[in-house]
Amino acid sequence: MRSCRPWGAVLTRVVLVAIAVTATACDEQLSDITGPTPSLEPTFSNIRENIFETTDSAGRTACVACHTSQGRPPAGGLDLSSDPYGALVNRPSRQQEAAVQVIPGDPAGSYLIQKLQGTEDIAGFRMPRNGPPYLTEGQVLVIERWIQLGARND
Ligand code: HEC
């Protein structure tokens, strides 16, 4: 019996590793990390619907509450209501010289991501302007993924 114990320990370890791998795979399911917007996916139409146009259950305000051209000029000159894709992708920031809102394939270099994370070198405030709450890490991750995949108008 004694000689079986080491094998038992090895087996236990194998099972634990298998469980850990499964758990990691589950963690990577987008619905688990996107919290208040469980159906958020890295496509532009989905981000527009879930982030730009929706005030989520955590109380984070829809971007179009301020970034709209309906009835008044959009906040910061950025209209996310009529043609958000055209307003963001390969378009320069109005406030931060040389910054580009969305650079396909380069999430970290995209000013939109920097504004959502509130990085040090942004002009003005972290978005949403009336936060907290801001976007969750998972929500930002999905937007970064969309940019990483080429920021397509899908
Ligand atoms: C309560 C109003 C308000 C809300 C909500 C809001 N914003 Fe803003 N936003 C502003 C104002 C005002 C500015 C300009 C001043 C500044 O940058 O702080 C701005 C600026 C920006 C800029 C920079 C524009 C440029 O040309 O440099 C980006 C990008 C942006 N917002 C994205 C967003 C996104 C994405 C959301 C939603 C997650 C959002 N904002 C929600 C008011 C708002």
Side-chain angles (χ1 to χ4, degrees), residues 7 10 16 21 29-30 44 56 88 105 116 132:
W7 286 110
V10 169
L16 283 179
V21 168
Q29 272 178 20
L30 289 179
F44 189 72
D56 69 32
L88 289 173
L116 291 174

Side-chain angles (χ1 to χ4, degrees), residues 47-128:
I47 291 166
R48 179 180 186 179
E49 186 185 331
N50 280 284
I51 300 292
F52 297 167
E53 297 181 345
T54 306
T55 293
D56 69 32
S57 58
R60 189 263 317 153
T61 313
C63 313
V64 296
C66 303
H67 293 283
T68 179
S69 54
Q70 278 158 25
R72 59 186 164 84
L78 178 66
D79 179 9
L80 294 178
S81 62
S82 51
D83 175 20
Y85 189 87
L88 289 173
V89 178
N90 292 315
R91 292 302 291 270
S93 154
R94 281 174 188 75
Q95 280 119 56
Q96 185 75 307
E97 221 176 307
V100 175
Q101 310 276 15
V102 169
I103 305 169
D106 182 8
S110 295
Y111 194 58
L112 170 69
I113 297 298
Q114 295 167 11
K115 286 289 270 187
L116 291 174
Q117 291 175 329
T119 54
E120 267 174 29
D121 42 358
I122 56 170
F125 291 83
R126 182 178 182 179
M127 289 296 129

